[in-house]
Amino acid sequence: MKINIEFSGGLETVFQNIRKYSIDLEAPSDGSPLNIKYLLTYMVDVLMDADSKANGGVGLFLLDGLIRPGVLILINDTDWELEGEEEYLLQEGDIILFASTLHGG
Amino acid sequence: MKINIEFSGGLETVFQNIRKYSIDLEAPSDGSPLNIKYLLTYMVDVLMDADSKANGGVGLFLLDGLIRPGVLILINDTDWELEGEEEYLLQEGDIILFASTLHGG
Amino acid sequence: KESNDFPLSLEEYQRYGRQLLVPQVGMKGQLKLNNAKVLVVGAGGLGCPSLAYLAGAGVGTIGIVDHDTVDISNVHRQFLHSSVRVGMYKVDSAIEYLKELNSNVTYIPYRFGINNENAFKIFSQYDLVLDCTDLPKTRYLISDVSSLLGMPLVSASALKTDGQLAIYNYLEGPCYRCLFPVPPPANSVLSCGDGGIIGPVVGVMGVMQAIEAIKVITGAYEDGSVEGGFIFGLTLLGAYCSPQWKFIRMRGKKNNCKICGEAPVIKRDMIESGQMDYSEFCGSAGPVKTL
Amino acid sequence: KESNDFPLSLEEYQRYGRQLLVPQVGMKGQLKLNNAKVLVVGAGGLGCPSLAYLAGAGVGTIGIVDHDTVDISNVHRQFLHSSVRVGMYKVDSAIEYLKELNSNVTYIPYRFGINNENAFKIFSQYDLVLDCTDLPKTRYLISDVSSLLGMPLVSASALKTDGQLAIYNYLEGPCYRCLFPVPPPANSVLSCGDGGIIGPVVGVMGVMQAIEAIKVITGAYEDGSVEGGFIFGLTLLGAYCSPQWKFIRMRGKKNNCKICGEAPVIKRDMIESGQMDYSEFCGSAGPVKTL
Ligand SMILES: [Zn+2]
Ligand SMILES: [Zn+2]
């Protein structure tokens, strides 16, 4: 299934400095659902660069396996809270945007 | 057929000062195609307000029956020149944006 | 300004003539601007452009809060502060500039930072707050206080090449805490000083704050001037993305919000007494990591 | 600035430090900015914010063209010109301000309007042009000249509550005339003076011009900093719409364009000799109608 991943606000720095991914995601082999929860682990396993992983990059993305506070997940330009959060089942062509809150001014 | 019309840059002033229309367009009774050309005449006949019509409003929208220079037509966020211009056949749910070029600074 | 027929002075008619012509402002809007009291917290990269356009538009009273002084590294983006004013309080530098721009406005300087004790006293003298600061703990304090006082909050932020904008505590919309109940880990937070910033990127967000402030003050979201009324969401800028701008519709008020929910647990006295410790809540800023 | 190891002065390191930190600019980009020559045509509602941020960013040479003097009705949006400088040439008022902001920049004043005779001589001394003017005939002249000279043109415009932005003559993209081969009827054209303008609406477009100018100068569209490279289109702002920003992908270069097409018919000598009459081409501005 084709899924688009985009970053806004800086998270791309731990994902090989690439702001947009177009990935082909297969259903997990253990039969678990192809949802956002699975996408998060996939991103750490496959897309995060080794250097970032070695230097605490996971902690900038996840906290206790959940998305870390200060990162908004947007599913096709809509807040994931309106879409079922972690349990949202990915659909062909979805655009998942990870927006880190900025504080600078 | 449901068609959305939007204005940017000022043309709404001759269309009852409404920036967004959602209209239900029927195929012309004379069998001619439901294209942009037809939409333009429909807009003058049905959507333009009488006051504007009496005060040269048509001339701000059309010139010799064609869209007047300085107005861009965008079909679903794409230049109509890439879509067949006047002959473009309207599709259910299309968003047609009429953008007048601005010159102020 | 004696009679109702001529509610503005001749100088004001001339000065505001171009915006009086715009139907969404007009005389009714101009009078609302003239009577408005706006507090701008932070006179930096966001504050400078917001202040220039709010003063230009004739907002009656503008309060400016900033404890900081002008540094040469500010000047590339904080254009109210010229090189010749390095070392001055930003608040004084800004007001020196703004008075020359528009002396019809009353400018009120606060040459210190917003904190638990002073926030309510200062905020309660204004109708609207602009958050132009750059630390999570200040952003939570500003949001909590303005929410408890029922004041709309026009908030923006920027870093590197990106920017964000939202209006909190407005109409039926959420507060900052509804969106971000838990602060980000301190090591994930970068200021413009640490992470860098392109001047016009933060600039454009500050100007957008001025647009939104004018719309809120003149009632544009309530009188039909904005088609569809107020929809809560975030406006995102990625200056090196294509397209550069994105609007994201966001969740509304949260029932369990500690500030604006059904059973709020954070109250004014808890903030003023210092029981609510924003530094502790947001964590001390340890060594800063990559974003 | 003697050695290659320290290409900037200490003052410049401090001044530009925040943008040097941004990878898309960095030292390489800063040196390109320092060496760039940018011409800003029009020191009004668009020119003021563009100029403030280009000067702040350290563009090496900035030319400013404007025949006009400061009027009190300008000040609400043209924040380089303060009330105390009413009556001064806008060019002089702007430079007085900009010198205090950043004296490292060379500012070149042109206290007259761009016309057929002077345009090529002036333009050919710069790398990049910003169109911050407000009349169709000037916009066509600026586009024709910059296209014939092969210079990128960052163009913006605004009226009432709306704004537009595009980069012409850039990479494989079109010129202004490719998009608008026929000028609008003179009675359909409104200036900000006639139609009105909200200050920060034109302001935000000027700041966007500064962002695009910095991207073009530093090569961001060519070195991969902008994902997908350069896509020609218009960025539209509707400050009272929701969402406020829209990007519209537009047609490319037109084969039959009279300036940049395969068999161009308008040449430099036709412009300089006055054979190409822009006033006639755009029609005389008769009594202005509703848009
Ligand atoms: Zn809340
Ligand atoms: Zn061309």
Side-chain angles (χ1 to χ4, degrees), chain B residues 9 17 20 25 33 37 39 43 47 51 64 75 86 93 95:
Chain B
N17 258 309
K20 284 188 185 181
L25 211 57
K37 191 175 187 154
L39 180 68
M43 287 172 68
L47 304 183
D51 222 46
D64 305 329
I75 300 170
E86 297 208 302
I95 301 174

Side-chain angles (χ1 to χ4, degrees), chain A residues 45-64:
Chain A
D45 292 347
V46 179
L47 303 183
M48 190 174 288
D49 55 83
D51 222 48
S52 296
K53 253 187 263 189
N55 289 290
V58 178
L60 294 175
F61 183 53
L62 303 180
L63 198 71
D64 305 328

Side-chain angles (χ1 to χ4, degrees), chain C residues 18 79 83 97 100-101 215 239, chain D residues 79 83 97 101 197 215 239:
Chain C
R18 297 301 176 266
F79 61 79
S83 311
Y97 168 96
E100 292 204 348
L101 190 75
K215 284 158 70 182
Chain D
F79 60 78
S83 311
Y97 168 95
L101 190 75
I197 182 73
K215 284 159 69 182

